[in-house]
Amino acid sequence: MLPFTEKWLPTYIRRDLTVLFCGINPGRVSATAGFHYANPANLFWRGLYEGGLTPRQLKPEETACLLDFGYGITDLVSRPTRSSSDLTDADFNTGAEQFVHMVGVYRPRVVCFNGITAFRHATGKKKEPVPLGLQPDRYFGTEDWPGSWGFVIPSTSGANASFSREERLAMFSELSLFLQEKGWHPFR
C-alpha cells in the first residue's frame, strides 16, 4: 500500500467555471481517502451547503459533483503533507507557477482561496495584510482576459484556531451573495 505522501488528489476543472476553489495542499486524511477535504473536522463541505452554494451537503467522495454547479477544486501545491508547514519554498514556487498557468488556461470567474497562505503564494502578496472576502483586484489576467476575481476564506481546516467555526462558515455566505449579485449563482 502506498504511503499517503504518494497519493496525489485530482484537480477538477473545466473552462467557464464560476468558482475555482484552491486549497494550500492535501493533508494526510484527504490524500489517504483520495478526496479533497476528507477530514471530518474540515468545514469545507458544510460551508458550501450552509453558505447556500450547494443544495445539499456533499460528501468528499462526491467532489466531482462540484463541476455540476460550475465549481472546480484544486490545491496550490499538489504534494500531500501532514501539515502545510512541511511545504518548502520550492513547493510553493512550483505550485504557484503551475496554478497561474492553469487559471490562465481555464479562466474561472472567481478563484476562492481556502486560506490566506494559498492566496499569498499564488499572487505573490506575501507581506501586506490580506482581508478576508472579495479582494479589490482581479488576478492572473492576460492581454485578452481581465483575470479572475479573488476571494479569500479562512482555512476550513480543523486545525485553524485563528478564526471561529462561525467566522469560517460565514465566509461561504459572503461568496454566495457575491455570486448572486453578479448573476452567476448556479441555482438562485
Side-chain angles (χ1 to χ4, degrees), residues 11-21 64 66-74 102 106-111 145 148 179 184:
T11 288
Y12 293 90
I13 194 166
R14 64 172 168 75
R15 288 294 298 253
D16 301 318
L17 287 174
T18 302
V19 181
L20 175 62
F21 292 95
L66 289 174
L67 293 169
D68 297 338
F69 303 114
Y71 307 143
I73 194 166
T74 192
M102 179 179 62
Y106 289 97
R107 299 180 175 190
R109 291 178 179 149
V110 179
V111 175
W145 177 59
S148 298
L179 298 182
W184 299 339

Side-chain angles (χ1 to χ4, degrees), residues 81-95:
T81 59
R82 289 192 184 280
S83 166
S84 61
S85 63
D86 296 332
L87 296 171
T88 66
D89 286 342
D91 288 325
F92 281 118
N93 293 339
T94 300

